[in-house]
Amino acid sequence: MKKASKIWLWIALVLCVCTTCLNLSEGRWLSVAIAVVSIAGLCLLLFRHQKLGFLIMCVCAVGSFVVGSVQNFADLGAVSILMSFIGSALVPGITGLFIKSQWNELK
């Protein structure tokens, strides 16, 4: 795996752990559960170089989008959908761009 990809994956890991801690402090248990699985996928990709890790991240991003949209819709309305989409798509989207050229090298 290229150095730039590893650097991004470490940054993504730190971001995801911080977000998980924030969700934990606010009592968003379903979001925490999804994030823990996503972090496990991120670790599979970073440390074991497995494609499955990225796929797990993508599935968790969809789950996170749905949960985030539903949890915040009463307070923010349609803005919650946009915010959830940005938050859910950011890490897997950037990760996909970094590993796109290396996809065949992954296990």
Side-chain angles (χ1 to χ4, degrees):
M1 187 173 288
K2 293 181 182 177
K3 187 175 182 176
S5 297
K6 287 183 181 180
I7 292 170
W8 164 249
L9 289 173
W10 274 106
I11 291 169
L13 184 62
V14 170
L15 288 172
C16 289
V17 168
C18 291
T19 302
T20 304
C21 291
L22 178 65
N23 285 331
L24 184 62
S25 71
E26 294 181 3
R28 295 179 180 162
W29 302 109
L30 188 54
S31 293
V32 170
I34 292 169
V36 167
V37 174
S38 181
I39 290 169
L42 188 57
C43 288
L44 275 176
L45 184 58
L46 177 61
F47 300 119
R48 307 269 321 228
H49 305 258
Q50 293 184 344
K51 294 176 185 178
L52 178 62
F54 180 70
L55 298 175
I56 289 171
M57 286 175 51
C58 291
V59 169
C60 288
V62 171
S64 180
F65 168 72
V66 171
V67 169
S69 296
V70 171
Q71 283 180 343
N72 297 317
F73 192 78
D75 297 331
L76 301 172
V79 175
S80 71
I81 294 172
L82 178 63
M83 289 172 45
S84 289
F85 178 74
I86 292 170
S88 298
L90 191 65
V91 170
I94 294 172
T95 301
L97 292 174
F98 271 102
I99 67 169
K100 179 174 66 171
S101 65
Q102 305 160 60
W103 185 253
N104 292 330
E105 299 170 14
L106 300 174
K107 300 175 192 172

